[in-house]
Amino acid sequence: MTIDIPFIWVAFKEIIKALPITLILTIVPLLAGFLIGIVVALVRIYKLKYLYRIANGYVSFFRGTPIIMHIMVIYFGFPLLLDQISLRFDLGLQTNNIPIILFVLIALTLAAGSYLSEIIRSGIISVSNGQLEAAYSVGMTKFQAMIRIILPQALAQSIPNFTNIFVGFLHTSSIAFLVSQKEVTGAANIVASVNLKFLEAFIAAGIIYWGITILVEGISFLLEKKVTAYNRGGVS
Amino acid sequence: MIYLKGIKKSFNQLPVLKGINLKIEKGEVVTILGPSGSGKTTLLRCLNFLEKPNAGLVQIGNIIVDAEKATKKEMLAIRKQSAMVFQHYNLFAHKTVVENVMEGLIVAKKVKKKDARQQSERVLDKVGLSDKLDHYPSQLSGGQQQRVGIARALALNPEVILFDEPTSALDPELVGDVLSVIKSIAQEGITMVVVTHEMSFAREVSNRVLFMDEGVIVEEGTPLEIFHAAKEERTRRFLQRISGETYFLPLKEQVN
Ligand SMILES: Nc1ncnc2c1ncn2[C@@H]1O[C@H](COP(=O)(O)OP(=O)(O)O)[C@@H](O)[C@H]1O
Ligand SMILES: [Mg+2]
């Protein structure tokens, strides 16, 4: 077997067309998961009645099981559930018409929420209790103190962790090809099978993932340096 | 005016405050002395409900709260009557010096940003930090940080400022600076309650000295009465030990 180096470029140009889907599968779950993560983190920190147990269970389950399983269970289970509901209430829902990507997005969002909630929670806990008390002492409410004093610092400190999650989810989005999503890995698979050039196609896909990863890490590094400038003493 | 009646506080069944009664007039500077663990910090924190007393009445200015029935709203209202200066400064790390001072004005007092900035700059000038407005706390010495802490409290123009050992985390050579700032605002007639181990401060600046031990106010009086004619044995022993540390130590060293 030989390697057809020029074909890597051909494959690259074809596969990169699928990059938007990969980015959607990465960014949408992380943004939605971020909102879930904040809510879940606050519920757990303030130990809100009942909700607190649900939040614990949610985080434990989604962090304790592989993401590919979430995708499969939701992909196969959700339509079943919807069909049942539709039948019972005579809604006439056509689950076949629901785009598959929606199931994948839901699964990835739920997983992202659980991971991000842990990051946000530890970020919040890392801000000294003294600052919280100082916020109260100048007359802030719990909510104001959280929004103005604690969260900004918690989030700024969490940027490296967020970056890790982003990179992880960028790579995890490739699982979606198992349920026939044409994202980067799915596209590579197609290019590979059609041309019978597997090595070249997957090298091209690898270059795309790597490139995005390096880009994101670079941006994150600069961003972190900027938003945590307050922490580095001695600069005047 | 501040009025405390029957303030009790326990932590896990352990009584830390055993019924504190106290009245402080407007403009009074009261220092609280007492051994470590006697409940001084807890008393200050009960005053602004950072710690909720188990029982008792707290009045600051025209707001009266019964600790047992205190609602969140009442606790916030009484908290806004006071301001606190912490042993470890507790500045907002992600805010600059001037923003630290503005924060309470903007959020709790609803002052417009521009006015808040003006007022904050004025107060920071008073504590000698006009040249550090845009620095972050991490870029300041301990003494400077504590002066920001004092400015942050002062800017709110509260009924009372509570100081919890404001100089005990500072390097010795920085203590004087901070004490002189506190002295100067004491002379402006702001009501202050100061927990401190600085005997010279208690002696020279305060109108009244309280001695606390094991969750009760053992004795109170003018500095003259407490330092030269304490009635209680416990007070005398404490003062002897403290002054032994601060005055007699150098002598001992000479002898050795
Ligand atoms: N949050 C808390 N939980 C449990 N015990 C506490 C807490 N705060 C203070 N205490 C206890 O209350 C007692 C008085 O503490 P404190 O008011 O800090 O004394 P002081 O300031 O006079 O040194 C100490 O025995 C301390 O361990
Ligand atoms: Mg104390």
Side-chain angles (χ1 to χ4, degrees), chain B residues 89-116:
Chain B
Y89 333 130
N90 296 356
L91 299 184
F92 306 132
H94 62 313
K95 305 247 170 215
T96 61
V97 165
V98 70
E99 286 168 350
N100 261 276
V101 181
M102 288 162 66
E103 200 59 18
L105 291 173
I106 292 173
V107 180
K109 297 215 134 177
K110 312 272 178 250
V111 178
K112 282 208 201 72
K113 206 164 169 181
K114 206 173 127 228
D115 300 336

mmCIF file of all heavy atoms in Angstrom, chain B residues 89-116:
data_model
loop_
_atom_site.group_PDB
_atom_site.id
_atom_site.type_symbol
_atom_site.label_atom_id
_atom_site.label_comp_id
_atom_site.label_asym_id
_atom_site.label_seq_id
_atom_site.Cartn_x
_atom_site.Cartn_y
_atom_site.Cartn_z
ATOM 1 N N TYR B 89 -8.760 42.081 54.752
ATOM 2 C CA TYR B 89 -9.150 43.092 53.739
ATOM 3 C C TYR B 89 -10.353 42.674 52.910
ATOM 4 O O TYR B 89 -11.265 43.468 52.719
ATOM 5 C CB TYR B 89 -7.989 43.457 52.794
ATOM 6 C CG TYR B 89 -6.601 43.279 53.377
ATOM 7 C CD1 TYR B 89 -5.604 42.599 52.710
ATOM 8 C CD2 TYR B 89 -6.302 43.787 54.654
ATOM 9 C CE1 TYR B 89 -4.346 42.425 53.258
ATOM 10 C CE2 TYR B 89 -5.050 43.614 55.210
ATOM 11 C CZ TYR B 89 -4.078 42.923 54.515
ATOM 12 O OH TYR B 89 -2.844 42.735 55.066
ATOM 13 N N ASN B 90 -10.309 41.438 52.340
ATOM 14 C CA ASN B 90 -11.422 40.940 51.513
ATOM 15 C C ASN B 90 -11.816 41.904 50.404
ATOM 16 O O ASN B 90 -13.000 42.153 50.165
ATOM 17 C CB ASN B 90 -12.660 40.654 52.376
ATOM 18 C CG ASN B 90 -12.425 39.553 53.375
ATOM 19 O OD1 ASN B 90 -11.347 38.945 53.381
ATOM 20 N ND2 ASN B 90 -13.395 39.286 54.215
ATOM 21 N N LEU B 91 -10.835 42.441 49.710
ATOM 22 C CA LEU B 91 -11.154 43.307 48.570
ATOM 23 C C LEU B 91 -11.637 42.446 47.409
ATOM 24 O O LEU B 91 -11.324 41.252 47.330
ATOM 25 C CB LEU B 91 -9.915 44.102 48.153
ATOM 26 C CG LEU B 91 -9.353 45.034 49.217
ATOM 27 C CD1 LEU B 91 -8.186 45.826 48.651
ATOM 28 C CD2 LEU B 91 -10.425 45.976 49.752
ATOM 29 N N PHE B 92 -12.417 43.067 46.510
ATOM 30 C CA PHE B 92 -12.876 42.356 45.321
ATOM 31 C C PHE B 92 -11.698 42.274 44.351
ATOM 32 O O PHE B 92 -11.249 43.278 43.810
ATOM 33 C CB PHE B 92 -14.053 43.086 44.677
ATOM 34 C CG PHE B 92 -15.180 43.343 45.646
ATOM 35 C CD1 PHE B 92 -15.770 44.593 45.745
ATOM 36 C CD2 PHE B 92 -15.638 42.333 46.486
ATOM 37 C CE1 PHE B 92 -16.796 44.833 46.641
ATOM 38 C CE2 PHE B 92 -16.667 42.563 47.384
ATOM 39 C CZ PHE B 92 -17.244 43.818 47.465
ATOM 40 N N ALA B 93 -11.191 41.064 44.151
ATOM 41 C CA ALA B 93 -9.912 40.886 43.467
ATOM 42 C C ALA B 93 -9.954 41.308 41.998
ATOM 43 O O ALA B 93 -8.945 41.715 41.447
ATOM 44 C CB ALA B 93 -9.467 39.427 43.569
ATOM 45 N N HIS B 94 -11.134 41.208 41.381
ATOM 46 C CA HIS B 94 -11.218 41.517 39.947
ATOM 47 C C HIS B 94 -11.605 42.962 39.684
ATOM 48 O O HIS B 94 -11.849 43.346 38.553
ATOM 49 C CB HIS B 94 -12.220 40.585 39.280
ATOM 50 C CG HIS B 94 -13.626 40.738 39.808
ATOM 51 N ND1 HIS B 94 -13.921 40.792 41.143
ATOM 52 C CD2 HIS B 94 -14.798 40.874 39.171
ATOM 53 C CE1 HIS B 94 -15.230 40.943 41.295
ATOM 54 N NE2 HIS B 94 -15.783 40.996 40.106
ATOM 55 N N LYS B 95 -11.680 43.769 40.742
ATOM 56 C CA LYS B 95 -12.038 45.179 40.578
ATOM 57 C C LYS B 95 -10.850 46.044 40.985
ATOM 58 O O LYS B 95 -10.116 45.697 41.899
ATOM 59 C CB LYS B 95 -13.235 45.520 41.474
ATOM 60 C CG LYS B 95 -14.433 44.627 41.236
ATOM 61 C CD LYS B 95 -15.580 45.399 40.644
ATOM 62 C CE LYS B 95 -16.683 44.485 40.182
ATOM 63 N NZ LYS B 95 -17.338 44.977 38.980
ATOM 64 N N THR B 96 -10.717 47.172 40.303
ATOM 65 C CA THR B 96 -9.642 48.083 40.657
ATOM 66 C C THR B 96 -9.967 48.753 41.992
ATOM 67 O O THR B 96 -11.070 48.608 42.527
ATOM 68 C CB THR B 96 -9.475 49.178 39.591
ATOM 69 O OG1 THR B 96 -10.694 49.912 39.524
ATOM 70 C CG2 THR B 96 -9.150 48.589 38.233
ATOM 71 N N VAL B 97 -8.991 49.509 42.487
ATOM 72 C CA VAL B 97 -9.159 50.198 43.763
ATOM 73 C C VAL B 97 -10.428 51.053 43.753
ATOM 74 O O VAL B 97 -11.284 50.932 44.638
ATOM 75 C CB VAL B 97 -7.913 51.074 44.031
ATOM 76 C CG1 VAL B 97 -8.192 52.079 45.137
ATOM 77 C CG2 VAL B 97 -6.734 50.181 44.405
ATOM 78 N N VAL B 98 -10.565 51.884 42.731
ATOM 79 C CA VAL B 98 -11.713 52.797 42.722
ATOM 80 C C VAL B 98 -13.009 52.016 42.521
ATOM 81 O O VAL B 98 -14.043 52.331 43.126
ATOM 82 C CB VAL B 98 -11.532 53.933 41.685
ATOM 83 C CG1 VAL B 98 -11.624 53.417 40.261
ATOM 84 C CG2 VAL B 98 -12.548 55.035 41.918
ATOM 85 N N GLU B 99 -12.961 50.941 41.735
ATOM 86 C CA GLU B 99 -14.170 50.124 41.539
ATOM 87 C C GLU B 99 -14.582 49.418 42.828
ATOM 88 O O GLU B 99 -15.767 49.248 43.096
ATOM 89 C CB GLU B 99 -13.934 49.064 40.446
ATOM 90 C CG GLU B 99 -13.919 49.632 39.046
ATOM 91 C CD GLU B 99 -13.397 48.629 38.014
ATOM 92 O OE1 GLU B 99 -12.867 47.563 38.396
ATOM 93 O OE2 GLU B 99 -13.510 48.934 36.821
ATOM 94 N N ASN B 100 -13.582 49.010 43.616
ATOM 95 C CA ASN B 100 -13.883 48.394 44.901
ATOM 96 C C ASN B 100 -14.723 49.326 45.767
ATOM 97 O O ASN B 100 -15.651 48.905 46.429
ATOM 98 C CB ASN B 100 -12.589 48.051 45.644
ATOM 99 C CG ASN B 100 -12.212 46.582 45.503
ATOM 100 O OD1 ASN B 100 -12.705 45.750 46.252
ATOM 101 N ND2 ASN B 100 -11.373 46.287 44.530
ATOM 102 N N VAL B 101 -14.358 50.594 45.739
ATOM 103 C CA VAL B 101 -15.067 51.558 46.573
ATOM 104 C C VAL B 101 -16.429 51.896 45.959
ATOM 105 O O VAL B 101 -17.421 52.076 46.674
ATOM 106 C CB VAL B 101 -14.209 52.822 46.755
ATOM 107 C CG1 VAL B 101 -14.915 53.833 47.646
ATOM 108 C CG2 VAL B 101 -12.853 52.445 47.353
ATOM 109 N N MET B 102 -16.487 51.944 44.620
ATOM 110 C CA MET B 102 -17.739 52.311 43.947
ATOM 111 C C MET B 102 -18.816 51.243 44.084
ATOM 112 O O MET B 102 -20.015 51.547 44.069
ATOM 113 C CB MET B 102 -17.475 52.531 42.442
ATOM 114 C CG MET B 102 -16.707 53.788 42.121
ATOM 115 S SD MET B 102 -15.999 53.689 40.450
ATOM 116 C CE MET B 102 -17.496 53.677 39.453
ATOM 117 N N GLU B 103 -18.371 49.990 44.164
ATOM 118 C CA GLU B 103 -19.279 48.855 44.073
ATOM 119 C C GLU B 103 -20.508 48.973 44.992
ATOM 120 O O GLU B 103 -21.645 48.856 44.542
ATOM 121 C CB GLU B 103 -18.481 47.579 44.388
ATOM 122 C CG GLU B 103 -19.084 46.303 43.910
ATOM 123 C CD GLU B 103 -19.325 46.216 42.411
ATOM 124 O OE1 GLU B 103 -18.722 46.997 41.649
ATOM 125 O OE2 GLU B 103 -20.149 45.383 42.018
ATOM 126 N N GLY B 104 -20.272 49.215 46.258
ATOM 127 C CA GLY B 104 -21.384 49.315 47.203
ATOM 128 C C GLY B 104 -22.290 50.507 46.904
ATOM 129 O O GLY B 104 -23.509 50.429 47.035
ATOM 130 N N LEU B 105 -21.668 51.605 46.483
ATOM 131 C CA LEU B 105 -22.453 52.802 46.170
ATOM 132 C C LEU B 105 -23.405 52.524 45.017
ATOM 133 O O LEU B 105 -24.582 52.871 45.049
ATOM 134 C CB LEU B 105 -21.528 53.961 45.798
ATOM 135 C CG LEU B 105 -20.686 54.530 46.932
ATOM 136 C CD1 LEU B 105 -19.684 55.543 46.407
ATOM 137 C CD2 LEU B 105 -21.587 55.173 47.972
ATOM 138 N N ILE B 106 -22.872 51.882 43.977
ATOM 139 C CA ILE B 106 -23.677 51.638 42.776
ATOM 140 C C ILE B 106 -24.766 50.607 43.051
ATOM 141 O O ILE B 106 -25.932 50.808 42.719
ATOM 142 C CB ILE B 106 -22.772 51.139 41.622
ATOM 143 C CG1 ILE B 106 -21.836 52.254 41.180
ATOM 144 C CG2 ILE B 106 -23.623 50.652 40.460
ATOM 145 C CD1 ILE B 106 -20.794 51.809 40.169
ATOM 146 N N VAL B 107 -24.379 49.509 43.669
ATOM 147 C CA VAL B 107 -25.310 48.380 43.778
ATOM 148 C C VAL B 107 -26.300 48.556 44.929
ATOM 149 O O VAL B 107 -27.499 48.390 44.752
ATOM 150 C CB VAL B 107 -24.541 47.052 43.959
ATOM 151 C CG1 VAL B 107 -25.515 45.891 44.059
ATOM 152 C CG2 VAL B 107 -23.599 46.846 42.797
ATOM 153 N N ALA B 108 -25.762 48.895 46.096
ATOM 154 C CA ALA B 108 -26.640 48.921 47.256
ATOM 155 C C ALA B 108 -27.288 50.288 47.453
ATOM 156 O O ALA B 108 -28.404 50.394 47.938
ATOM 157 C CB ALA B 108 -25.863 48.516 48.503
ATOM 158 N N LYS B 109 -26.566 51.337 47.075
ATOM 159 C CA LYS B 109 -27.112 52.679 47.310
ATOM 160 C C LYS B 109 -27.673 53.318 46.053
ATOM 161 O O LYS B 109 -28.188 54.432 46.090
ATOM 162 C CB LYS B 109 -26.019 53.577 47.903
ATOM 163 C CG LYS B 109 -25.530 53.094 49.266
ATOM 164 C CD LYS B 109 -25.179 54.240 50.157
ATOM 165 C CE LYS B 109 -25.762 54.026 51.534
ATOM 166 N NZ LYS B 109 -25.368 55.110 52.452
ATOM 167 N N LYS B 110 -27.538 52.597 44.925
ATOM 168 C CA LYS B 110 -28.127 53.061 43.662
ATOM 169 C C LYS B 110 -27.627 54.450 43.243
ATOM 170 O O LYS B 110 -28.364 55.232 42.659
ATOM 171 C CB LYS B 110 -29.663 53.087 43.754
ATOM 172 C CG LYS B 110 -30.260 51.815 44.314
ATOM 173 C CD LYS B 110 -30.530 50.804 43.214
ATOM 174 C CE LYS B 110 -31.083 49.502 43.770
ATOM 175 N NZ LYS B 110 -30.151 48.389 43.681
ATOM 176 N N VAL B 111 -26.382 54.749 43.575
ATOM 177 C CA VAL B 111 -25.784 56.012 43.144
ATOM 178 C C VAL B 111 -25.381 55.867 41.676
ATOM 179 O O VAL B 111 -24.972 54.787 41.245
ATOM 180 C CB VAL B 111 -24.534 56.325 43.990
ATOM 181 C CG1 VAL B 111 -23.861 57.611 43.528
ATOM 182 C CG2 VAL B 111 -24.912 56.431 45.462
ATOM 183 N N LYS B 112 -25.546 56.928 40.909
ATOM 184 C CA LYS B 112 -25.137 56.873 39.494
ATOM 185 C C LYS B 112 -23.633 56.666 39.398
ATOM 186 O O LYS B 112 -22.871 57.159 40.219
ATOM 187 C CB LYS B 112 -25.516 58.176 38.785
ATOM 188 C CG LYS B 112 -26.979 58.248 38.428
ATOM 189 C CD LYS B 112 -27.163 59.148 37.189
ATOM 190 C CE LYS B 112 -28.581 59.656 37.087
ATOM 191 N NZ LYS B 112 -28.892 60.685 38.138
ATOM 192 N N LYS B 113 -23.234 55.964 38.347
ATOM 193 C CA LYS B 113 -21.845 55.566 38.216
ATOM 194 C C LYS B 113 -20.887 56.756 38.305
ATOM 195 O O LYS B 113 -19.865 56.702 38.987
ATOM 196 C CB LYS B 113 -21.652 54.830 36.886
ATOM 197 C CG LYS B 113 -20.499 53.884 36.909
ATOM 198 C CD LYS B 113 -20.551 52.913 35.754
ATOM 199 C CE LYS B 113 -19.217 52.175 35.673
ATOM 200 N NZ LYS B 113 -19.131 51.230 34.601
ATOM 201 N N LYS B 114 -21.260 57.816 37.627
ATOM 202 C CA LYS B 114 -20.371 58.984 37.578
ATOM 203 C C LYS B 114 -20.221 59.597 38.973
ATOM 204 O O LYS B 114 -19.117 59.922 39.403
ATOM 205 C CB LYS B 114 -20.955 60.012 36.592
ATOM 206 C CG LYS B 114 -19.908 60.918 35.982
ATOM 207 C CD LYS B 114 -20.497 61.802 34.895
ATOM 208 C CE LYS B 114 -20.163 63.242 35.188
ATOM 209 N NZ LYS B 114 -21.332 64.122 35.084
ATOM 210 N N ASP B 115 -21.345 59.736 39.662
ATOM 211 C CA ASP B 115 -21.292 60.293 41.015
ATOM 212 C C ASP B 115 -20.542 59.365 41.950
ATOM 213 O O ASP B 115 -19.775 59.803 42.813
ATOM 214 C CB ASP B 115 -22.713 60.512 41.558
ATOM 215 C CG ASP B 115 -23.491 61.472 40.677
ATOM 216 O OD1 ASP B 115 -22.836 62.272 39.980
ATOM 217 O OD2 ASP B 115 -24.732 61.402 40.668
ATOM 218 N N ALA B 116 -20.775 58.060 41.773
ATOM 219 C CA ALA B 116 -20.101 57.073 42.620
ATOM 220 C C ALA B 116 -18.597 57.200 42.455
ATOM 221 O O ALA B 116 -17.840 57.124 43.427
ATOM 222 C CB ALA B 116 -20.561 55.664 42.257
#
